[in-house]
Amino acid sequence: MATRLPKTDIVIVGAGWTGLTAAYELANAGQRCVVLERGAMRHDAPDFQAPQMHDELRYGQRHELMIEPSNLTLTFRNNQDETALPMRRLGSFLPGTGVGGAGVHWNGQLWRPLPSDLTMRTHYEEKYGGDAIPDDLQVQDWGVTYDELEPHLDFFEKVAGCAGRAGNLNDEIREAGNPFEGPRSEEYPTPPMKQHYAGAMFADAAREVGTHPFIMPSANVTVHYENPYGAQLHPCTYCGFCERFGCGYFAKADPIICVLDRIWGHENFELRTHANVTRVNLADDGQTATGVTYVASDGRTYEQPADMVLLCAYGLWNVHLMLLSGIGEPYDPSTGEGVVGRNYAYQTMSSISVFYDGRYNFNPFMGAGALATVVDDYNGDNFDHSELDFVGGGYIACLQTNGRPIGYHPTPEGTPGWGLAWKRAVRRNYLSTANLVIHGSSMATRGNYLDLDPTYTDPYGRPLLRMTFDFPDNDRRMSRHVTDRAEEIARAMGGSSYSVSRSADDNYSIVPYQTTHNTGGAVMGSDPSTSAVNRYCQAWGQHNVFVFGACLFPQNLGYNPTGPLMGLAYWTLDRIKRDYLNDPRPLMGR
């Protein structure tokens, strides 16, 4: 029997970027906000401080900042003919746990979507004709345009102190920035990161083959900076401990220092950790939510009544909670009907290592999560698709994120995997290898989706989330094309040799790490038959439930998701504050 707690205005599930930002904005709008976080409390100081945070074995290899699969996992299969099995060890992706969520251990690569990304179906059909999009793809428009999102993308860049150089400022194309990006209303709040040696060589080669290199936009801040909430950020030290680690230098923007510290102690704000939300409770008629039920650290079950419910957990867990709670019709791949679980997508990654056999010293141990020189010429529809047999694209980056001793051992093809020859190859190439990443989009298909597993349950007896996914043929063709273009740059870099890894050539494997960019499952849109939430990210069937995160993406971009998902978060919060709070109702008709 659950213990019923006093009612609050808003209950927020999850204390990452979106959850804490929602609490900040709505508490300051006069709403009493209770945030429920599954994991533990923590803070950049002292929890993320060096040298203990620079323990690669503990954090980089054993994933101490990520979920523990024995407590929370999902099942996986490549297609409907297979029986899904539980993910018992973390591998392909690494969802975070604890206050700050994945926003603690992210790299800080901070992008915007292209204008054409958000109207993808309309854009391709108008430009290339009605049959431009392959029949097996469920590509759809987002229901929101770049111009509508731009002020919110801009504000989040200010919250994160984003470092970069605008390539398109109020429709003026500027040198040293990304000439393909959508128009910006303002310059980045801080200057771009320094360019590393290998990045400079990449830039020269990229220009030689006719592309347009620039420094990657970064939430690894480059100067002392105060964000709009009053948080103080410090310059990055290029220590190389960003991805999989928290930042104790207050240099990588995270939701704890950028947001939580500025709302802590507010009379309208309460954070409860070790609070595992098990379902969203609905009214008898199912038309509204009445709050949530959660299990606390004392093992007891509580009911938290609320006027509004905001789902701000990691995208996969938002979808899981919606399926368990009866929010929206579950997707059925056999009919194509239903919306919750629909359009799950991933990211299509490949990489190239360029070896110089000791000729140069790149000092790989000096790095940052977003330290990169990049070209965007082959992303989205930045290049002509009229003679191509795919949609989408990706960026090509020369990254120097780290040279950590356990995980970084670059060796040319043909090197033995162990022994003296391997050791000599590592010694010869550790300092003199340049690393290119091709970060490709992922299109939604009818057969890739999320639902509830019929066999396996979690410690509370609830069905696990089941993921069915393999790389679509469209994405394999896209990845081959863009990786071939990256190979042209790699050849122009003049190394002794290079090796190419193309993960999409094989069936998707959940075992090796690729990226934590899972998207879709609760996609937004203007059509209730193909979207779980409307264009304001409000559930179609329960108007007081709003959903946040990358689960909203109808298909995955060729970019990292944090910038777009936070732009959407501010877009939704703006609508809630300006409109919904004064007149709670469906913001769009069905």
Side-chain angles (χ1 to χ4, degrees), residues 49 66 188 207 230 232 257 272 342 466 475:
Q49 290 187 322
M66 289 76 170
Y188 284 99
R207 291 189 191 95
Q232 301 286 331
I257 55 173
R272 299 176 198 157
R342 175 188 166 93
R466 180 171 64 177
D475 297 357

Side-chain angles (χ1 to χ4, degrees), residues 112-120 140 142 380-381 555 557-559:
R112 294 183 174 194
L114 296 166
S116 59
D117 284 337
L118 302 180
T119 56
M120 191 168 184
Q140 55 196 70
W142 292 48
D381 192 36
Q555 51 274 332
L557 308 162
Y559 299 111

Side-chain angles (χ1 to χ4, degrees), residues 282 322-323 325-331 338-340 531-532 539-542:
L282 302 183
M322 294 173 75
L323 290 167
S325 306
I327 298 174
E329 181 184 355
Y331 174 68
V339 291
V340 181
S531 57
W540 285 106
Q542 295 80 22

Side-chain angles (χ1 to χ4, degrees), residues 142 287-289 307-311 322 327-328 339-340 522-528 531-549 552 568-569 571-573 575-576 579-581 583-590:
W142 292 48
Q287 299 301 303
T288 56
D307 290 329
M308 289 176 62
V309 175
L310 308 187
L311 300 183
M322 294 173 75
I327 298 174
V339 291
V340 181
V523 307
M524 62 186 298
S526 299
D527 181 350
S531 57
V533 299
N534 64 27
R535 77 189 219 100
Y536 302 109
C537 308
Q538 178 188 45
W540 285 106
Q542 295 80 22
H543 66 77
N544 62 343
V545 175
F546 289 82
V547 182
F548 296 73
L552 300 166
L568 288 174
W571 155 260
T572 296
L573 292 168
R575 190 70 181 191
I576 290 173
D579 189 350
Y580 184 81
L581 291 178
D583 183 14
R585 70 196 189 287
L587 295 171
M588 290 182 69
R590 294 178 67 92

Side-chain angles (χ1 to χ4, degrees), residues 55-342:
D55 185 336
E56 186 187 0
L57 180 63
R58 180 178 176 184
Y59 296 102
Q61 302 296 319
R62 295 178 175 167
H63 308 135
E64 191 160 309
L65 297 180
M66 289 76 170
I67 61 165
E68 170 51 54
S70 63
N71 296 326
L72 177 64
T73 191
L74 49 74
T75 64
F76 169 75
R77 58 182 180 174
N78 281 121
N79 58 66
Q80 296 176 60
D81 294 330
E82 297 177 345
T83 299
L85 296 173
M87 184 183 187
R88 299 189 185 276
R89 296 179 63 183
L90 293 178
S92 173
F93 48 88
L94 306 172
T97 188
V99 171
V104 166
H105 66 78
W106 71 317
N107 263 328
Q109 300 172 11
L110 189 50
W111 293 89
R112 294 183 174 194
L114 296 166
S116 59
D117 284 337
L118 302 180
T119 56
M120 191 168 184
R121 175 164 287 278
T122 299
H123 171 83
Y124 272 85
E125 290 183 347
E126 288 181 351
K127 185 173 179 179
Y128 299 109
D131 58 353
I133 297 176
D135 292 338
D136 62 322
L137 301 186
Q138 294 187 156
V139 170
Q140 55 196 70
D141 295 352
W142 292 48
V144 62
T145 67
Y146 177 85
D147 289 343
E148 289 173 316
L149 276 192
E150 201 282 335
H152 309 290
L153 296 165
D154 179 75
F155 187 74
F156 178 63
E157 288 167 356
K158 291 182 170 64
V159 170
C162 188
R165 160 80 174 173
N168 183 341
L169 190 59
N170 294 312
D171 287 320
E172 177 192 351
I173 304 301
R174 305 165 81 223
E175 291 187 2
N178 181 3
F180 301 101
E181 66 179 351
R184 293 175 172 276
S185 56
E186 294 190 43
E187 179 58 274
Y188 284 99
T190 60
M193 301 197 81
K194 298 179 185 299
Q195 185 166 240
H196 56 107
Y197 188 6
M201 297 174 67
F202 171 85
D204 289 342
R207 291 189 191 95
E208 186 178 324
V209 302
T211 55
H212 304 80
F214 58 95
I215 305 296
M216 179 182 282
S218 164
N220 312 134
V221 178
T222 53
V223 295
H224 289 282
Y225 175 75
E226 180 176 314
N227 81 1
Y229 296 154
Q232 301 286 331
L233 295 167
H234 302 164
C236 177
T237 62
Y238 298 83
C239 74
F241 286 83
C242 293
E243 185 183 30
R244 307 189 184 191
F245 302 85
C247 180
Y249 302 116
F250 289 51
K252 181 178 71 174
D254 71 42
I256 298 173
I257 55 173
C258 291
V259 184
L260 177 61
D261 283 356
R262 316 312 300 173
I263 189 66
W264 195 259
H266 194 290
E267 62 182 356
N268 287 335
F269 174 76
E270 181 182 356
L271 171 62
R272 299 176 198 157
T273 56
H274 299 293
N276 196 339
V277 176
T278 55
R279 68 179 301 107
V280 177
N281 303 318
L282 302 183
D284 291 341
D285 63 3
Q287 299 301 303
T288 56
T290 60
V292 302
T293 296
Y294 71 95
V295 180
S297 58
D298 60 6
R300 297 174 60 188
T301 302
Y302 296 88
E303 179 188 352
Q304 177 58 68
D307 290 329
M308 289 176 62
V309 175
L310 308 187
L311 300 183
C312 298
Y314 188 69
L316 292 172
W317 314 138
N318 278 344
V319 176
H320 191 211
L321 204 50
M322 294 173 75
L323 290 167
L324 292 168
S325 306
I327 298 174
E329 181 184 355
Y331 174 68
D332 182 349
S334 66
T335 64
E337 297 178 350
V339 291
V340 181
R342 175 188 166 93

